[in-house]
Amino acid sequence: MISDIVNVIFCLGNCVLLVNLRRMRLEKCWFCSSTVYPGHGVSFLLLHVFKGYITLLLLKIFHFCRSKCHKNFKMKRNPRKVKWTKAYSRLHRKDMTQDSTFEFERKRNRPERYDRNLAENTLKAIKKIDKIRSDRASDHIKNRLKTGKVQRQKEARKQLELGIHLVKAPLALAQDSSLCLPKIKVNVSQAQTEENQPMEE
Amino acid sequence: MIQPQTYLNVADNSGARELMCIRVIGASNRRYAHIGDVIVAVIKEAVPNTPLERSEVITAVIVSTRKELKCDNGMIIRYDDNATVVIDQEGNPKGTRIFGAIARELRQLNFTKIVSLAPEVL
């Protein structure tokens, strides 16, 4: 991780103001994967030190968007098992996992030299790519829910038929039968029944 | 929130391993020390064959606490342990290497040498 320490020196007349600006980056909450905007959330720095003859150091930073995620982390819950997190939905294929639009959001540690045109184009592209990505994600969910749609409609119709007395008073239904659900007429072709022949002796 | 009797790790290679806080430098009845505060501590555990020995009284500056540090820009940082860097009376670290990520607030408190030695500054 390259930390960019930016020192901005403002000269106000005779005095010099030295301002240290921290990196402003939109992080992802470690637990629920929502974006953590600057000024929000808590960052937890875990420095794993192996104290022996050789000291090995691993710095891991966890960002949390709100205390809900932070508390769940402290409870040692695995986000892949907690149903409301993105980690769970991606693992259980409820959300779109592979798409070319994700490539644009990959973290790059190489700082880019500021170019006005590049910055302008990037801002325009961000909007467009975001729209495409969210459209594709919602399509993915829509397709996933399509298979259950017919079943759900059948269940809903059945429930309405059974519970019509909750919707309309039975007396009103009896008086005016047009308030019922229209019954679908199905033509059934029946073979002509033979007349009852007396048993042959 | 470091107070007397608190055990602290040492985040440099000065030779001390574990310190116990004796006094928080500041006001006479100052209760707690946070990141960037100087404390007087006694060495409880030291690496053998180094200039610092066990039960030696030294000053140190706190570089990480389990209690959250609220930065001016709204960021809140919490560390996993309470750690210090052993310093001398001027504020220069006694060791030559610093371990771990150091908060940028130490720069404003004139611990520039520590910040420059740190592998990562947040």
Side-chain angles (χ1 to χ4, degrees):
Chain A
M1 255 166 78
I2 308 164
S3 63
D4 23 304
I5 307 168
V6 179
N7 292 321
V8 179
I9 305 174
F10 296 95
C11 290
L12 306 166
N14 293 329
C15 56
V16 176
L17 195 76
L18 194 76
V19 176
N20 280 320
L21 297 175
R22 268 201 177 84
R23 180 213 333 245
M24 285 282 182
R25 182 169 219 142
L26 298 183
E27 306 285 354
K28 289 275 176 205
C29 175
W30 185 83
F31 200 82
C32 67
S33 314
S34 62
T35 34
V36 185
Y37 285 88
H40 289 258
V42 179
S43 306
F44 175 56
L45 272 64
L46 186 66
L47 186 71
H48 190 253
V49 184
F50 169 67
K51 275 187 189 154
Y53 207 56
I54 316 153
T55 42
L56 290 170
L57 296 157
L58 296 157
L59 178 71
K60 174 121 178 92
I61 302 181
F62 301 90
H63 297 278
F64 301 106
C65 56
R66 53 197 198 274
S67 63
K68 177 180 182 179
C69 303
H70 192 33
K71 283 174 185 165
N72 270 288
F73 171 80
K74 281 194 228 172
M75 273 192 266
K76 297 186 177 177
R77 284 195 184 155
N78 187 357
R80 283 154 177 250
K81 290 194 171 179
V82 179
K83 295 241 165 87
W84 49 270
T85 59
K86 277 280 180 199
Y88 177 93
S89 56
R90 279 177 197 148
L91 186 72
H92 290 78
R93 277 164 267 106
K94 310 243 178 243
D95 267 347
M96 191 171 65
T97 44
Q98 280 172 334
D99 198 40
S100 53
T101 47
F102 290 139
E103 297 295 317
F104 294 103
E105 248 189 276
R106 288 279 151 81
K107 184 179 176 182
R108 291 161 187 83
N109 276 324
R110 194 180 300 139
E112 292 276 335
R113 182 169 288 233
Y114 178 73
D115 177 30
R116 196 202 169 115
N117 286 330
L118 181 69
E120 205 177 309
N121 290 335
T122 308
L123 284 171
K124 281 187 198 157
I126 286 171
K127 251 193 179 163
K128 192 125 199 264
I129 291 164
D130 229 28
K131 186 174 184 310
I132 294 170
R133 196 198 60 229
S134 53
D135 284 345
R136 285 188 194 173
S138 55
D139 283 342
H140 179 268
I141 293 169
K142 222 188 284 181
N143 288 332
R144 187 168 57 80
L145 295 173
K146 226 185 251 185
T147 49
K149 194 172 178 182
V150 172
Q151 179 69 19
R152 278 198 297 276
Q153 277 184 344
K154 235 193 322 182
E155 282 173 12
R157 185 172 288 122
K158 184 75 190 236
Q159 196 181 24
L160 182 62
E161 269 191 50
L162 287 174
I164 196 77
H165 61 280
L166 295 168
V167 179
K168 287 275 178 205
L171 212 61
L173 275 179
Q175 285 169 0
D176 187 8
S177 62
S178 68
L179 292 170
C180 286
L181 279 178
K183 294 236 191 291
I184 306 163
K185 284 213 165 157
V186 178
N187 290 329
V188 175
S189 60
Q190 265 184 337
Q192 281 218 322
T193 52
E194 286 181 340
E195 287 178 29
N196 274 340
Q197 303 253 333
M199 265 171 57
E200 283 182 349
E201 284 176 33
Chain B
M1 280 171 77
I2 312 298
Q3 57 181 346
Q5 300 289 314
T6 307
Y7 271 63
L8 301 134
N9 290 331
V10 177
D12 60 9
N13 63 346
S14 55
R17 274 265 176 80
E18 206 166 52
L19 308 174
M20 185 178 84
C21 174
I22 296 176
R23 188 87 181 133
V24 174
I25 301 295
S28 66
N29 58 348
R30 179 124 179 230
R31 279 212 167 85
Y32 306 118
H34 298 278
I35 290 179
D37 292 335
V38 176
I39 59 162
V40 178
V42 67
I43 298 175
K44 286 292 188 182
E45 195 189 312
V47 174
N49 305 321
T50 48
L52 291 179
E53 279 179 355
R54 195 181 174 283
S55 69
E56 209 178 298
V57 176
I58 40 106
T59 46
V61 65
I62 295 170
V63 296
S64 68
T65 50
R66 278 221 182 88
K67 180 71 184 160
E68 309 87 30
L69 167 73
K70 290 185 177 176
C71 308
D72 282 338
N73 65 354
M75 204 158 80
I76 300 177
I77 302 176
R78 196 170 80 91
Y79 288 85
D80 190 42
D81 64 346
N82 305 311
T84 56
V85 164
V86 180
I87 56 169
D88 60 13
Q89 289 305 318
E90 280 98 66
N92 299 321
K94 274 207 179 142
T96 53
R97 282 180 66 200
I98 309 284
F99 304 121
I102 301 292
R104 204 156 291 182
E105 273 68 22
L106 286 178
R107 184 187 283 268
Q108 271 102 348
L109 296 161
N110 293 319
F111 292 110
T112 46
K113 191 99 194 299
I114 294 176
V115 174
S116 65
L117 284 171
E120 170 122 28
V121 182
L122 280 172

